[in-house]
Amino acid sequence: MQIKVEAGDISTYSADCVVVNLFEGITAPGGGTGALDAALDGTIAGLLASGDIRGKEGELTLLHTGGKLPTPRVLVAGLGKSGDFTIDKVRTLSANIARFLRGKRVGSYATIAHGAGIAGLDAAACAQAIAEGTHLGLYRFNRYQKPPDDPFEVETVAIVENDGAKFNILQAAVERGVILAEAAEFSRDLSNEPANTLTPTEFAARAQAMAEQYGLGFRVFEREQCAEMGMGSFLGVARGSAQPPKFIVITYRGAADAEAQAIGLVGKGITFDTGGISIKPSDAMLEMKGDMSGGGAIIAAMGAIARLKPAVNVTALVPATENMPGSNALKPSDILRAMNGKTIEVVNTDAEGRLILADALSYAIQLNLSPIVDVATLTGAISIALGNAAFGIFSPHDGLVERIKQAGERAGEKSWPFPMWPEYKDLIKSNIADMKNSGARGAGSIAAAFFLKEFVDDRPWAHLDIAGVDFYDAEKGVLTKGASGIPVRTLVGLVEDLAVRPLG
Ligand code: BES
Ligand code: MN
Ligand code: ZN
């Protein structure tokens, strides 16, 4: 699918469909909608007067133009109340329109820049949101269906702008939107891929192909190198699997000073989580091909960072392994030693994400990365707390929490901070080692964050628990069935923000 910007008049545009919009409560449409309505001899105004169209958010009305316009169809999209309209609604609307028109077998359509007219939103931000929403909304993972269930695809979408002076700005904004959407889609592809295909080896190969495509630094530490580096915690998890583990490292150098301190992005790369010897019940296991979503999001974000070129250095670390109950597997009560020398009593082999992150975070400290942001499908408890509406932020650094929250808001990916009060530290206290890898029933997500905190030496660090938002079972706005690609766009936005406004 291709998105282009065209200077011109939407009311004379020729495509399979032309999309205009209406706020709730408007009785006489203006702008592009008004121009089309005039050409249609007041059809839209008539539908408004009769109450057939009300401009409600989510309302989509398809009209046939009966030869009165070059386009055979007009879609009127309701925007809801004008005071409530936001960039995120532009994104959601664009996704819903794209899927609606695909369902109607509309292969090419033109749209006005929703939000940029009377809504008064920034025109470039609107164009970017339309590009993101359209791309993400049309995403499907149909690699394993030939032909796919529903093979029809939208080929081209044109954003038509009558102010020629805005053309270059809108064009650049669309390119940005496409880069961000493509990164999120790459992340979705990785997470949707079943674990028999996406082994740690294949995961690393796809990361490498991406890194080579965009000119990023890339290397993989094999099991032996990880052992030499002292990654006993990561290798402890890998022991139960026949698949060799891979520790993936990707570097981006964008700062004027190539030696300048790099931001660290760390992602959980469990390509399948059976739970290990503390095995999961069957139903809970089905979703666990997505347990590398944190790592996948970070790898994908690096691709977008390489294309957008913020003036900052970034290093991504993704420990990748399966969590399997093989005959050599980790056993409850085993004690592991992490790269930073700390010992861990493994009381539950299903709390494996924090074990592999312990070594990745230790390595991030050794590389002097700062700030460090880790992303992981770490705990089922996070979706008990937040459902699938937001991911959790855990960090003792309030400034970093705020920056992540804001980057998430700009991306339309909601997040919410959790407390890191010292009261919770005892949750991971062990009688026999420096810590244990799982607490009691309460505050499971916070206990996991406190475990990770043991490996970051009080550096500026935040942990994002995405276990509630990695997979969805229904289409909703930019979200499609399966992997969400959250928080790729948040991470890219955060890195861009840190490039211009370093953490204080
Ligand atoms: N990968 C899971 C967390 C998860 C659960 C992700 C549901 C997505 C959906 C993680 O490795 C895990 O098993 N966590 C345990 C921790 C517990 C043993 C302390 C959990 O949440 O039950
Ligand atoms: Mn687990
Ligand atoms: Zn897991």
Side-chain angles (χ1 to χ4, degrees):
M1 194 265 306
Q2 210 212 332
I3 304 188
K4 52 189 179 180
V5 179
E6 287 193 17
D9 179 357
I10 189 89
S11 65
T12 57
Y13 199 89
S14 174
D16 296 343
C17 183
V18 159
V19 184
V20 292
N21 62 37
L22 270 179
F23 278 116
E24 195 174 331
I26 300 267
T27 51
T33 314
L36 274 166
D37 190 39
L40 291 173
D41 301 327
T43 303
I44 299 172
L47 288 164
L48 278 167
S50 65
D52 290 84
I53 296 184
R54 291 190 291 159
K56 288 254 184 225
E57 186 178 339
E59 176 190 83
L60 298 176
T61 312
L62 190 61
L63 307 173
H64 285 236
T65 61
K68 289 176 182 163
L69 285 169
T71 175
R73 298 177 197 84
V74 167
L75 180 70
V76 184
L79 303 183
K81 297 197 171 63
S82 65
D84 298 343
F85 202 59
T86 59
I87 290 294
D88 195 40
K89 291 198 178 178
V90 177
R91 219 183 264 120
T92 301
L93 174 74
S94 303
N96 290 336
I97 288 172
R99 275 195 303 267
F100 177 82
L101 290 177
R102 180 176 63 191
K104 300 287 179 196
R105 301 292 182 270
V106 168
S108 89
Y109 61 91
T111 179
I112 54 173
H114 307 292
I118 52 167
L121 299 176
D122 176 61
C126 291
Q128 180 183 326
I130 292 171
E132 282 178 35
T134 306
H135 253 280
L136 292 169
L138 289 175
Y139 173 87
R140 285 187 290 205
F141 184 74
N142 49 20
R143 251 191 111 184
Y144 295 97
Q145 287 183 326
K146 298 270 185 295
D149 254 356
D150 183 359
F152 188 86
E153 295 291 356
V154 174
E155 300 289 336
T156 51
V157 176
I159 301 173
V160 179
E161 171 57 51
N162 60 10
D163 179 359
K166 282 191 189 155
F167 180 85
N168 287 336
I169 294 168
L170 297 189
Q171 182 65 46
V174 164
E175 277 165 29
R176 256 187 79 74
V178 170
I179 287 172
L180 289 163
E182 284 180 351
E185 287 167 0
F186 178 44
S187 165
R188 286 179 181 182
D189 280 344
L190 291 169
S191 296
N192 283 328
E193 198 66 63
N196 61 332
T197 308
L198 200 91
T199 58
T201 303
E202 174 67 13
F203 193 23
R206 291 198 191 185
Q208 179 166 15
M210 185 282 301
E212 281 165 7
Q213 183 180 357
Y214 299 124
L216 291 157
F218 181 87
R219 70 177 301 183
V220 170
F221 296 123
E222 305 294 336
R223 193 194 308 265
E224 304 68 42
Q225 287 156 298
C226 293
E228 280 163 26
M229 292 163 81
M231 294 187 175
S233 192
F234 172 46
L235 293 183
V237 176
R239 244 166 46 193
S241 169
Q243 293 291 336
K246 304 279 166 176
F247 191 100
I248 301 165
V249 183
I250 305 176
T251 48
Y252 165 74
R253 289 290 171 271
D257 174 4
E259 299 297 303
Q261 189 169 34
I263 297 169
L265 299 179
V266 178
K268 172 175 173 181
I270 294 290
T271 60
F272 197 82
D273 182 11
T274 65
I277 295 299
S278 312
I279 200 158
K280 287 181 184 295
S282 314
D283 289 350
M285 216 186 277
L286 198 52
E287 219 182 272
M288 289 302 136
K289 68 171 183 179
D291 211 19
M292 35 50 67
S293 294
I298 273 168
I299 290 167
M302 290 299 280
I305 290 165
R307 296 172 78 185
L308 294 168
K309 302 187 171 53
V312 67
N313 296 333
V314 188
T315 297
L317 306 177
V318 179
T321 176
E322 293 181 329
N323 184 25
M324 297 289 285
S327 62
N328 196 36
L330 208 54
K331 301 166 292 296
S333 83
D334 283 0
I335 295 180
L336 300 174
R337 187 181 296 277
M339 190 181 178
N340 72 348
K342 292 190 181 176
T343 56
I344 304 160
E345 179 192 4
V346 178
V347 296
N348 189 324
T349 66
D350 198 10
E352 85 297 342
R354 63 200 78 181
L355 294 176
I356 70 169
L357 290 173
D359 283 332
L361 291 169
S362 300
Y363 186 49
I365 295 300
Q366 198 178 93
L367 292 176
N368 193 29
L369 306 179
S370 180
I372 298 166
V373 178
D374 79 69
V375 185
T377 48
L378 208 61
T379 66
I382 196 68
S383 43
I384 304 300
L386 294 173
N388 63 13
F391 59 86
I393 312 179
F394 302 79
S395 171
H397 194 297
D398 292 344
L400 183 55
V401 169
E402 201 45 44
R403 302 283 283 273
I404 293 168
K405 204 158 163 285
Q406 285 169 7
E409 269 161 33
R410 289 195 301 276
E413 297 177 332
K414 281 200 172 64
S415 58
W416 201 254
F418 280 71
M420 292 287 281
W421 297 314
E423 282 87 338
Y424 293 115
K425 198 179 176 294
D426 284 351
L427 289 172
I428 54 162
K429 202 171 156 22
S430 164
N431 294 323
I432 185 168
D434 294 332
M435 71 199 86
K436 59 182 180 182
N437 76 332
S438 164
R441 246 177 72 81
S445 304
I446 301 177
F450 265 89
F451 180 94
L452 299 179
K453 190 172 175 293
E454 292 293 315
F455 301 90
V456 292
D457 275 8
D458 294 328
R459 255 340 142 74
W461 152 81
H463 155 61
L464 312 185
D465 193 338
I466 61 164
V469 298
D470 61 330
F471 268 76
Y472 286 83
D473 52 20
E475 292 171 336
K476 188 166 179 264
V478 299
L479 300 170
T480 51
K481 280 180 197 161
S484 66
I486 296 172
V488 171
R489 290 176 301 113
T490 299
L491 291 170
V492 179
L494 175 69
V495 166
E496 287 186 309
D497 179 41
L498 290 170
V500 294
R501 218 158 42 101
L503 200 64

